[in-house]
Amino acid sequence: FGIFVKTYISGNYTPYLFLIALISGFAVANTYRKYTPYFTSAMVLFILSGAYIWMINGIRQFLAAALAFSAADLLIKKKTIKFIILVLALSSIHTSAILLIPIYFCVTGKSFSKKTWIMLGIAVFATILTVKFAVRSMERSYYDRER
C-alpha cells in the first residue's frame, strides 16, 4: 500500500497518512452506522473519548483493528474460515491482529465453557511469550548499542 501511494500518488508521507486515517475512520464509522441505533451519539463518544487518537498514534495497529471491527458481520454470522483468512491478512499489517483468532472462539462460544477458558488461556500464554520475546530483543539491542 505504501509503495502504491508513493509511486502513483505522491512521494510525500502526508497523502499516505491521510489515506490510512480515511480508511480507518470509514471502517469505524460504517460499523457504528450499521450496528448502533444512535449513530451520531456513537460518533460523538468515539471522538470525545479520545479513541480517534489511535488513528494518529498507532496507525498500523488501529488500521488492522478498524478493519477487523468492520468485519463484525463475519463474527455475528459465525463465518469462521472467512474471519480467520481476514485476520491472517490483517496480521500482515500488524502482527497483534493474530490474537483475534482465539478471541473469535471465545466470543462465538458459550459463556464460561471449557472451550472458552482454554482459548483464553492460550491467548494469555501467547501474550506472555510475546512480551518476553519483546523484552529480550530490546535488551539485546540495548547491549549491542553499548558495545
Side-chain angles (χ1 to χ4, degrees), residues 17 23 26 30 51 83 133:
L17 296 176
I23 292 167
F26 180 76
N30 192 40
F83 187 78
F133 176 73

Side-chain angles (χ1 to χ4, degrees), residues 28-142:
V28 169
N30 192 40
T31 306
Y32 280 154
R33 186 191 54 76
K34 272 186 195 176
Y35 296 107
T36 307
Y38 303 107
F39 172 69
T40 308
S41 299
M43 289 309 294
V44 166
L45 285 174
F46 176 72
I47 292 169
L48 292 178
S49 68
Y52 72 92
I53 296 295
W54 279 97
M55 291 173 68
I56 302 162
N57 187 16
I59 292 174
R60 289 184 314 124
Q61 188 173 15
F62 190 84
L63 178 63
L67 292 175
F69 183 60
S70 69
D73 285 341
L74 298 176
L75 198 114
I76 292 169
K77 295 177 183 173
K78 295 184 178 182
K79 298 192 176 199
T80 307
I81 302 299
K82 287 183 181 180
F83 187 78
I84 289 174
I85 291 171
L86 174 72
V87 167
L88 292 175
L90 291 176
S91 70
S92 69
I93 296 172
H94 199 275
T95 54
S96 66
I98 204 82
L99 291 174
L100 291 174
I101 293 174
I103 291 171
Y104 172 83
F105 291 110
C106 288
V107 170
T108 58
K110 286 184 181 178
S111 299
F112 302 110
S113 69
K114 193 181 282 187
K115 180 175 123 181
T116 303
W117 285 110
I118 290 171
M119 286 298 164
L120 185 62
I122 290 171
V124 168
F125 183 69
T127 305
I128 290 170
L129 286 178
T130 304
V131 169
K132 283 184 179 181
F133 176 73
V135 169
R136 284 186 185 148
S137 71
M138 285 190 304
E139 287 173 350
R140 279 191 216 125
S141 66
Y142 177 76

